[in-house]
């Protein structure tokens, strides 16, 4: 699931002037884009695991948070951009 999400947003995130965007641009200079997508998925998994451990709560998939809303908007924008091609 994280790999599919990473594939959907990697190009959009790489365009942003953020630390994550800079990291992705450096990785995208390498020859295999699938490695970049896997690296992004692994990073997202580590962030999710940290959030669960840091707040001492069980993972609640149905719980909507601000981060979830941002993630859903990024995925929707990526899907909209892909459909325009």
């Amino acid at each position: 699931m994280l790999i599919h999400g990473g594939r959907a947003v990697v190009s959009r995130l790489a365009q942003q002037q953020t630390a994550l965007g800079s990291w992705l641009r450096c990785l995208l200079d390498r020859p295999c884009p699938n490695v970049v997508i896997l690296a992004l998925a692994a990073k997202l998994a580590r962030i999710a695991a940290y959030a669960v451990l840091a707040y001492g709560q069980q993972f609640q998939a149905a719980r909507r948070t601000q981060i979830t809303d941002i993630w859903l908007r990024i995925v929707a924008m990526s899907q909209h951009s892909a459909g325009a091609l």
Side-chain angles (χ1 to χ4, degrees):
M1 187 73 144
L2 289 171
I3 293 173
H4 292 301
R7 187 177 307 279
V9 299
V10 72
S11 62
R12 169 100 39 200
L13 289 175
Q15 294 172 359
Q16 295 179 356
Q17 298 302 317
T18 61
L20 182 60
S22 176
W23 177 75
L24 283 171
R25 282 190 299 279
C26 288
L27 288 179
L28 286 169
D29 289 339
R30 298 178 184 194
C32 187
N34 287 332
V35 172
V36 177
I37 293 164
L38 186 61
L40 178 59
K43 186 179 222 39
L44 294 174
R46 286 191 305 275
I47 290 169
Y50 169 79
V52 169
L53 293 172
Y55 295 106
Q57 298 178 357
Q58 292 181 350
F59 178 74
Q60 299 171 3
R63 184 174 164 215
R64 298 272 306 242
T65 63
Q66 182 180 9
I67 294 171
T68 305
D69 291 337
I70 292 169
W71 177 260
L72 291 173
R73 275 188 260 141
I74 291 170
V75 170
M77 287 187 299
S78 297
Q79 290 174 345
H80 179 70
S81 297
L85 295 176

